[in-house]
Every structure is written in structure tokens, then in C-alpha cells.
DNA sequence: AGCCATAGTGCCACTCAGTGGCACAAGCCA
DNA sequence: TGGCTTGTGCCACTGAGTGGCACTATGGCT
């Protein structure tokens, strides 16, 4: 089952753990997609992966968590990527974040990650508790991102705590979510790649200025 | 307990229901604040309000729901407010939304609503599942807002579904959340009013352009 | 090679959120 | 007053998530 990955040379124990984790994610996405999030009990999932429920909860914090793993992984990779020294100095933070996100996308495992994200997002759209879990995770991650930014960059001491940089991150996250939505909704079973998603992210980010300037002409009342 | 409100003249049954609802919210916020969200079981809450658990779940969708009620109420009022014809035509949608939000704030019950929001937000900050629930609710509301906008205004048929107006709403929601955060964090037990919150909303909205332009000057590496 | 210390696992019993079903009471309408 | 509808109480049940303890596999050390 999917050995010899870029798992490189981790201690055996770690590799085993990662394999269990991946098996749980894949089986969960498969079962949930087939019978719905609520149509599958954790006992069944654990049975299928041959793992005790106790072990499941040592790997994931909740039933939602396992189904949201693909995007969790991406954001975790994003945080790592953000620690790398940026190419251009003086670039607006928003562009820096966008580029970091795009770079992260190119580095996700190209063969299976996009498919996992697709399944996960489709599930989230019809499973409120999954959606909630994903949003809360993004929110927590955003805080971490702001902390990293403050540590690495001189943002000129903004008033009201971290209002300005935090808004920057919020806008990027919003744009990413819109991109995901568009990417996920795309026609039926067309294969989706991380590049497609990157394109959508670029589009969404580019649409931000227009969204702030968008004029509201009232319709003629019917 | 808190009769003769702007409840006006609703059928008796409705008024009773609303009173039960309000009692549940207030008691929940009180108990949760005192002993923590997880430190109070629904059975205890229902006992305190003298209502059966079954009834609780006819009024609220989850334990989190009752604790998030204050902001739910606000967004519901916001949607209603958005149906009113706007004063100025041709105003940017973002400004229109912001003004609608500010107007909504002035119309919330001035005496007890702010205090409820404060308790609710403080709880949410240390209760992940409450935070998640609140975020998911906002997300769903955002969709409704976009639908209303599209129905009421001629937004010039944007490409990629509703990308542009949806981003507009997302940015407003982000700004509101930052405003809430600042307002909630404000010193200790200073009384907080809806006007204070309105001021914070104005500040956060005004900070949006700066957040997009914010330059990232790298710090000298330590 | 052999042997602990320790990280990780399985099992079991328990709490509590959330649901379905049915009988009953309170508000509403004639 | 009596039917009708709407909302409530009660009770049993499912399933997520947790704590505790005994057990096994791993990796370091001699």
C-alpha cells in the first residue's frame, strides 16, 4: 500500500504511523464519498483499516479531521514554505503570500493529492460539520501566518494589534476558498491538477481589486 | 423575565417560544462562562431553564448553536436590513454592505445585546467547536448575501460564477471579524456598546486598502 | 546478539450530544 | 364548548469521543 514515497528515510516507526494515517484518510474519503459522512461510523472505518478507534483518535482529533486532512496538509506545507527566504524583497505582502501559496501547490504530491482534495471538498459541501472544521482550521492557521510574518518582516508596527497584516492574510484565504470552490465545481470528472487550482488562485487574487470597487447599480424594481 | 420587549404583538405562542429561547441563551452564556463550555452538560442547562432536552433541540441545532445566538441574531437582522432600499445609488457594493452592517448595529437591542456578544465571543475564543460553528454560519450567510445582492443589483454579470461579489462579501466579513476581535479584547470589564463596535468596524474596513498594499521589508536576519 | 526504556496500540467501560417516536397539553378557531 | 393544530415531555437508543491499563514493537545501549 503505497510504500517508498518521498517519505525518504524516516525512522521505521514514523513511516508506519504515516502509512496508517494515509490509509485512514484514503479509506475515509472513499467510504464517506460512497455512503455519506454520516452514513459511516468510526467503528466501520477503523474496522476497514484494521486499527482500533483509540488509535484513530491518536492520529486525528475528530471524525471531521480525517476528512479534512488534504487541505490541512497543504496549509502545513504552506507554513513551512513561508519560512524560506523570499526571492524578491519589498514585494507587497499579499503578493508574497500568493506566490508562497502557488509555490506550495507545485510541491504537493502531484499524482494523488489533487484527487484527495476534490473528494474532501465535495464532501465538505454537503457536510456542514466538515465545512466548519475546515474553516476553523484555516482561521487558526491564519493566526500562525501573521505571527510568522511579524517575525520575519518589518511591517512598520501597525496600530490596533495586527489588524492590517491579519486582513492581508484573510483576503488571501478568502481568495483561496473561492478558487477552491471554482476548481471543485468544474465539470464532472475532468481530471483536476494542482496547476488548474493555481490558475484559479491567480484569477481569484486578481479579482480582489475589482471586488472592492464593484459599483452597485440598483435593478429596476420588477 | 424580560417581558414586554419590542416583541410587539405576536401571537402568545410565539412570544412564549421566544422567551424560552432567550432564557436558554442567557442561561447558557452564564453557565458556560462560569464553568466552561465543556463543563456544562445540556441536561444541566435544560434543568436550569426547566425545559426538556427535546425542546432544546427544537430551538437550536446544537450545543454550540445556543452559545453563538447573539451573532446569529445580528446576521439575521443584517439580511433583513439588506432588503431595504439603499439611500445612495451607485455606491460601491463594499461601502453599501458596510453601511448596512453599521445600520444593523444601531438597531440591535442596545441594553443587553452587546453584553451577550461579549460573553459569546470570549467563550468562542477558548472553545474551538464554537468558533467553528460561528465561522460556518457566517460562510452560509455570505452565500445568502451574495444571492440578495445579485437579485437586487445589476452587478454587470461577472465571470466565474459570483466570484467578484462573493469576494466583496468575504472582505467585509473578514473586516467585521477583526473588528469583533479588537472590540472583544478591549480592556477588561469596560462597558462595551454597539457604537464602539461600529467604530471598530469602520476602522477595520478603512484598513483594507493598506492591507493589500502592505510592503514586506525583510528584517535583518538575527 | 541480547535487553531495557519508551512510544505506540488494543481493549473496555463510560459520558454525553443528538435523534426518533409517541402520548399529552396549551393555544387557536369556530 | 369541542375539535384542530402546534409545541412539549418523556424515554430509549445510536455513536462520537475519553480515560485507564495491560501489552507489543522499536530503537538505543552494552
Amino acid at each position: 500500500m503505497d510504500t517508498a514515497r518521498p517519505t525518504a528515510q524516516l525512522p521505521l516507526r514514523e513511516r508506519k504511523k504515516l502509512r496508517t494515517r494515509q490509509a485512514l484518510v484514503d479509506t475515509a474519503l472513499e467510504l464517506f464519498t460512497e455512503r455519506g459522512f454520516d452514513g459511516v461510523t468510526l467503528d466501520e472505518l477503523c474496522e476497514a483499516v484494521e486499527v482500533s478507534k483509540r488509535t484513530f483518535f491518536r492520529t486525528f482529533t475528530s471524525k471531521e479531521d480525517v476528512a479534512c486532512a488534504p487541505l490541512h496538509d497543504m496549509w502545513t506545507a504552506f507554513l513551512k514554505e513561508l519560512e524560506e527566504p523570499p526571492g524578491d524583497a519589498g514585494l507587497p505582502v499579499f503578493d508574497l503570500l500568493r506566490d508562497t501559496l502557488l509555490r506550495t501547490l507545485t510541491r504537493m504530491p502531484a499524482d494523488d493529492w489533487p484527487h484527495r482534495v476534490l473528494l474532501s471538498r465535495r464532501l465538505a459541501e454537503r457536510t456542514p460539520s466538515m465545512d466548519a472544521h475546515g474553516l476553523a482550521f484555516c482561521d487558526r492557521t491564519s493566526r500562525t501566518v501573521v505571527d510568522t510574518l511579524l517575525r520575519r518582516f518589518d511591517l512598520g508596527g501597525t496600530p490596533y494589534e495586527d489588524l492590517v497584516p491579519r486582513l492581508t492574510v484573510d483576503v488571501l484565504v478568502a481568495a483561496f476558498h473561492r478558487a477552491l470552490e471554482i476548481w471543485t465545481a468544474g465539470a464532472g470528472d475532468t481530471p483536476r491538477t494542482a496547476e488548474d487550482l493555481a490558475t484559479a488562485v491567480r484569477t481569484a487574487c486578481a479579482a480582489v481589486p475589482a471586488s472592492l470597487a464593484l459599483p452597485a447599480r440598483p435593478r429596476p424594481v420588477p
Side-chain angles (χ1 to χ4, degrees), chain A:
Chain A
M1 57 168 79
D2 196 56
T3 62
R5 279 284 136 163
T7 39
Q9 280 330 27
L10 288 167
L12 177 57
R13 242 191 238 165
E14 298 298 317
R15 268 184 287 163
K16 211 169 175 180
K17 219 162 109 175
L18 278 183
R19 243 190 310 153
T20 312
R21 185 192 142 92
Q22 209 48 67
L24 278 169
V25 172
D26 286 330
T27 312
L29 288 176
E30 190 182 327
L31 291 179
F32 292 165
T33 300
E34 203 174 307
R35 287 147 54 194
F37 184 80
D38 292 323
V40 183
T41 68
L42 279 185
D43 290 308
E44 288 173 314
L45 172 58
C46 292
E47 180 100 9
V49 186
E50 293 186 294
V51 155
S52 85
K53 204 167 60 159
R54 205 69 193 74
T55 297
F56 175 91
F57 281 106
R58 282 194 206 92
T59 316
F60 299 100
T61 63
S62 69
K63 191 183 180 185
E64 286 77 26
D65 204 35
V66 67
C68 291
L71 283 181
H72 284 219
D73 292 348
M74 192 207 69
W75 286 113
T76 306
F78 174 87
L79 285 175
K80 226 184 212 162
E81 202 70 43
L82 197 60
E83 295 290 346
E84 299 299 314
D88 315 277
L91 200 70
V93 173
F94 183 76
D95 296 17
L96 176 106
L97 290 172
R98 183 201 54 206
D99 292 349
T100 307
L101 183 58
L102 292 172
R103 201 157 0 105
T104 307
L105 285 178
T106 66
R107 308 213 174 156
M108 298 308 287
D111 42 359
D112 40 12
W113 183 74
H115 183 242
R116 286 194 192 117
V117 175
L118 186 60
L119 293 183
S120 174
R121 289 320 296 164
R122 285 200 178 145
L123 275 166
E125 277 173 9
R126 57 198 178 99
T127 312
S129 70
M130 267 184 69
D131 205 38
H133 187 267
L135 288 168
F137 175 80
C138 274
D139 195 68
R140 284 193 301 277
T141 303
S142 299
R143 272 172 231 265
T144 313
V145 172
V146 171
D147 292 344
T148 305
L149 287 176
L150 290 175
R151 180 163 45 76
R152 300 210 52 203
F153 299 98
D154 173 15
L155 301 180
T158 59
Y160 288 105
E161 325 232 327
D162 318 327
L163 175 58
V164 171
R166 179 60 209 258
L167 278 173
T168 314
V169 176
D170 283 343
V171 174
L172 180 87
V173 170
F176 176 69
H177 281 144
R178 292 319 121 222
L180 249 189
E181 215 166 65
I182 292 171
W183 182 79
T184 306
D189 291 335
T190 312
R192 283 164 182 73
T193 65
E195 273 106 298
D196 297 336
L197 182 51
T199 305
V201 168
R202 267 184 272 261
T203 304
C205 287
V208 170
S211 77
L212 292 177
L214 183 69
R217 283 172 307 169
R219 280 192 200 283
V221 220

